[in-house]
Amino acid sequence: MATIISHNIISPLGETSEENYAAVTEGRTALRMHSDNEGLPFSFYGAIIDDSLLLCKETDGDVPLTRFERMAMKSIRTAISGIEIDPSRTILLLSSTKINVSHLNAGNTEESVREPGKCAQKLSDILGLTTVPITICNACISGVAALIAAQRLVDNGDYDYAIVCGADEQSPFVISGFESFHSLSESECRPFDIERTGLNLGEAAATIVIGRDELMCDGAWRLMKGCIRNDAYHMSTPHPQGEGARLALNELSGSSDAERPAVINAHGTATMYNDQMESKAIVRAGLQEIPVNAYKAHFGHTMGAAGVIETILTIISLEHGVILPTRNFSELGVSGKIKVVEKVSKTNRQDFIKMISGFGGCNGAIRLRKTARECNEECKDSKFTCKHENDIAGDYVTASVVKINPREVTICGEKIEIEGKGDELISEIYRNRIKEYPKFHKMDSLAKLAFAASELLLQNDDEERFVDRDDRAVVLFNTQSTLHADRKHAEAIADVDNFFPSPSVFLYTLPNVASGEIALRNKYRGETGFYLLPGNDKQKEDELIRITLMDPHTESIIFGSVYYENDKDFEAELKLIKTINN
C-alpha cells in the first residue's frame, strides 16, 4: 500500500513542514495587503513568498531555473534529503495550475514556459530520475489528484517511489483572473463564516514522497483510497447540492462509527458558493457529525499546492493528537449544518479525509490513515493490471478513434466529408454534426476542438447518451496546456491603463475545463482530468489509462490528446476506451 515517507512545505510562514505547522498552531497568517505588485492596477490581499527564501545554490545547480521552478525544486530537495531512491523506479508528479505562466511573453522561447509539460521533465532531469514525469493540471484539485495518481502508480507496482510536488506562484496573470470573477476578498478570508466575502490567493510549494509499504516501518501514514468526481453542472459554479463532492465522499466513508475519520479538511475557500456546496456535500454524505476545518486563512488559496500542503498539515496535527481550528471562523454561514472547528481540540484518531473542488466541475477527496503493517492485506485494494496486445491491452479495448487536424477529420481511420479548413473545420463539425448547443460558442478553441472530437466519437457509438452516469471518465492530455487562451488573457492585462481581464477567457486558461465541458454535455459524473506530458509517449499514455481504470466505478474513458496553438496548428486524437466486461 502507498505510504508516506517524508514531506516538506515552503510558504511565507516557513521553509519546513514543522515551521509551517508551528506557525498555524500559533495562529499566525501570511496574508497581508499587497499594493506593490507590478502589472496590477489594484491592491490585493494575499500571501507571497519572500524571494530570499528561494535563493539556494543546491537548488539551482548549473541549470537556470524560473522562480516557480526554484520553489518546486527547493521543496522537493528538502523532502527527499536522506532518502535513497532508485532513479529508474521513482516518478515525479508535478501538481500545478499555471506553472511558469508569469514568464509568458512573445520573446520567451524557454521550453518549460512555452510547453509547460516539459517543466516537470526539466526538474526530473535535475533530480537524476530516468522515468518520464507527469504534470497534473486539474485546476484547484490538482494536488489531491496528484496524490491519487501517485497512490495508484505505487499500489499497482509501476514505481517504488512517487514524488508529489504541488506548487504555484502568484502573478498578475492569476490574480487578475480571480479578480475578474469578483471572488477576491479585501480582507482576511473567513472560511464557512457568515461574514465571508471571498478568497485570498497565496503561493507555496509542498512535497510528499510516497513509497511502497514494504519499504517502510510500522506506524506509517497510508493513502487508503482516493476519488475524483465531476458535478456535470457548470464550469465555474459548483453544483448547489455538491453532487460531485458527495459522490467522492461516499466512496471514502466508513459504515461504522469506528471507521469515522477524525476530521474532514475541507477546501474552505471562503467564497459564497464553494463553502455552501461543501457543507451540503458533507451532510448529504452523512458526515455532518465529523469535525470540519480549513487552512486558507493562514496561507490563502495556494492552487496546485493546496491539496498537498493541507494534507501535510493535517497529518502533523493528528500526530500531535489535535485538530486545528479554522482561523477567522465565528458563526456558521452555510446551510449545511456542519461542525466547523473553532478552537484546538484533542483526538486520538489518526484517520482523516481531505476534500477539494475546482473549476471545470471537478471534485476530489482522499483518505489517509496511520496503520500498522499487519493490516495491509485486509485494507489493500485490488490492483488493475494490463498486458499489451495490439489495440487490446488486457482488460480494456479501444472501441473507436477520432482524429482532427486543420486538413482532415477521420473516424476509425475513415475520412469524413468536410469542406472547411482550420477553425472553419471545427465550426463545420458543430453545424453539421452537433447543432443547438449554445455553450459551444462560449468555449475557447482548445475546448471546442476537444468537444467536437468527443461528439464524433460518441455519435459513432451505440450507447444511450445524456443520462447520468459515473462510470465513464474523461481524461485529456497535451504538452502545451492552454497556450492559445493564455496568450489572449495575457494580452488583455498587458496594458495597466487598459486593463480588462475577461472571466470567460481566464476560465479556459485551465485545461481541465475542456474535459469538464465534455462531462457537462453528457452528464458524466465520473473522473475527469487533464495531464501534461513532456512529449508523445505511448507507454505513458497507457499508464494514464491504467491508473484511471483503477477507479472501481470506471468502465470506459474518453481519452486522448488535444492541442491548439492557432487555426493552422492544432490536433486532437480521442479514443473511446472500454473495459472488456462492459
Side-chain angles (χ1 to χ4, degrees), residues 11-58:
S11 83
L13 291 178
E15 299 179 65
T16 67
S17 300
E18 292 72 23
E19 287 179 3
N20 279 275
Y21 175 75
V24 173
T25 58
E26 292 166 9
R28 287 191 276 140
T29 181
L31 297 171
R32 67 176 180 85
M33 184 63 75
H34 294 265
S35 56
D36 54 351
N37 203 48
E38 186 177 349
L40 285 175
F42 58 86
S43 301
F44 73 97
Y45 221 93
I48 305 296
I49 295 176
D50 191 308
D51 285 350
S52 64
L53 294 179
L54 306 176
L55 299 177
C56 298
K57 289 183 179 180
E58 64 271 20

Side-chain angles (χ1 to χ4, degrees), residues 155-175:
D155 281 351
N156 200 49
D158 295 300
Y159 302 93
D160 293 337
Y161 299 94
I163 302 169
V164 177
C165 177
D168 262 308
E169 64 174 341
Q170 296 304 327
S171 67
F173 187 101
V174 175
I175 298 165

Side-chain angles (χ1 to χ4, degrees), residues 45 80 89 272 382 441 463 473 477 510 571:
Y45 221 93
I80 65 174
R89 295 287 299 166
M272 295 301 293
S382 61
H441 302 292
E463 289 188 15
F477 66 90
L510 301 170
E571 187 171 16

Side-chain angles (χ1 to χ4, degrees), residues 91-103:
I91 184 172
L92 172 64
L93 297 167
L94 181 63
S95 155
S96 183
T97 60
K98 294 311 301 173
I99 309 174
N100 280 318
V101 76
S102 63
H103 294 266

